[in-house]
Amino acid sequence: MEQTLATWLLPIVGVIVGIAIGFLVARNSAPNRTQRQVDDLQERFDTYQSEVVTHFNTTASLLRKLTNSYQDIQDHLSEGADKLALDEQTRQRLLAALHSEESPSHRERLSSPAFTEQPKDYAPKSDDTPGTLHENFGLKSRP
């Protein structure tokens, strides 16, 4: 009986010890895996934020350059109008046209023409011929 007790007791104790060790290992590895995932997500989020900041800084720099270029063109055109205009009246017209484009004015809307007569959905006819809605229109009369 000792042999059967040892034969059954040893595997049962081994299974219980294996389950306990597996439970402890699984319990300790789960928080580490979750923490690694959280750290990975935090790193990706920090990288994304850095890329967004870089993008908007580059955009602001390019807009600043565009504004400066536009101002340089305006200055060049003003100087050209001052130097190249033959008389004062032409110079004033050029400068006025140049500065009027800086603040775009609202264009006036075109008004639709006032119709005094309703549109016709048929071809006009003379007085002695039947209209297109007449019951005999298009039929030849028999002699």
Side-chain angles (χ1 to χ4, degrees), residues 61-81:
S61 173
L62 291 172
L63 280 174
R64 202 174 310 114
K65 285 180 185 178
L66 181 66
T67 302
N68 290 339
S69 295
Y70 178 75
Q71 186 61 42
D72 290 343
I73 289 172
Q74 287 287 83
D75 293 342
H76 174 73
L77 289 173
S78 294
E79 289 174 12

Side-chain angles (χ1 to χ4, degrees), residues 9 13 89 94 98 142:
L9 188 61
V13 170
Q89 183 181 10
L94 288 173
L98 181 64
R142 292 189 177 168

